[in-house]
Amino acid sequence: PNNLLHHYFWVEESDHHRVIENEIMVNVTPQFSTDWEGQAENAYDLLGRARTETQYARYSQLMAMGHNVSISSDVPSSPMSMIAPLFNVEIAITLQDPTSEKSVPFPLAQKPTTLDEALKAVTIYPAAQQNMQDKIGTIEVGKYADLVVLDQDITAVEPRDISDIKVLGRSE
């Protein structure tokens, strides 16, 4: 059986190490750790600036180490406009709210993840978390071929434009 920790937001250093040592898979909703809807102010008010900068939204550190971290929307808590995988990919690599041009990276001390890790977080890692890595998550002979055709090359657009990429078609 797989162990999975959801809502990986407020994490002390000892918790961070325990997740890694025990190989606990993690799922986060990146939108909830941006400056969306006053989240930044709420975080600073709740724990203060120092603790927010050292303990909040540390999932990108796990991703940088190749740890199994999936990014998704917290349905039904997330608005429908915020559930697309590319929406979450943009947030993970910018730490900004795609719905606001005025959004700034938050928290400031956290380093965004790479596009490569963010794409794994919406494909490979969720498949493993569901114990379905033998059927989905990567393109291999014998696996289901759930593919999409995008109107732009995700590796060539500006990071703040990723959520605007349109799906032109998909396999079934």
Side-chain angles (χ1 to χ4, degrees):
N2 294 332
N3 292 312
L4 179 60
L5 177 60
H6 291 274
H7 301 291
Y8 192 76
F9 291 110
W10 295 105
V11 182
E12 292 185 9
E13 192 66 26
S14 60
D15 299 326
H16 198 58
H17 290 292
R18 204 169 12 258
V19 164
I20 295 166
E21 290 168 12
N22 292 299
E23 299 177 0
I24 299 171
M25 299 178 204
V26 171
N27 173 264
V28 298
T29 303
Q31 181 70 5
F32 297 155
S33 60
T34 67
D35 59 357
W36 172 68
E37 298 283 321
Q39 295 288 107
E41 292 83 15
N42 291 341
Y44 289 139
D45 288 346
L46 185 62
L47 283 185
R49 196 165 286 275
R51 288 179 69 193
T52 297
E53 294 298 332
T54 59
Q55 297 177 2
Y56 193 63
R58 297 183 65 193
Y59 64 89
S60 62
Q61 293 172 348
L62 290 177
M63 295 169 99
M65 293 183 259
H67 194 74
N68 185 313
V69 178
S70 65
I71 55 176
S72 62
S73 296
D74 191 10
V75 177
S77 300
S78 298
M80 288 302 291
S81 61
M82 299 177 181
I83 63 169
L86 294 179
F87 185 85
N88 289 299
V89 167
E90 180 178 318
I91 296 168
I93 67 172
T94 66
L95 302 179
Q96 293 175 271
D97 173 13
T99 67
S100 172
E101 291 181 16
K102 295 179 181 180
S103 180
V104 296
F106 175 77
L108 297 174
Q110 298 306 329
K111 181 179 176 187
T113 193
T114 64
L115 177 60
D116 183 54
E117 284 301 317
L119 292 174
K120 289 177 185 176
V122 294
T123 57
I124 296 169
Y125 297 144
Q129 290 175 5
Q130 298 173 60
N131 203 21
M132 294 184 67
Q133 63 273 19
D134 60 331
K135 294 180 175 73
I136 61 173
T138 57
I139 301 170
E140 296 178 46
V141 174
K143 289 188 174 185
Y144 296 111
D146 295 331
L147 304 173
V148 295
V149 177
L150 304 175
D151 73 342
Q152 297 179 66
D153 179 352
I154 194 170
T155 65
V157 302
E158 290 297 318
R160 286 283 284 166
D161 295 330
I162 289 175
S163 65
D164 295 327
I165 295 174
K166 303 290 183 241
V167 175
L168 298 177
R170 62 184 180 90
S171 65
E172 293 190 28

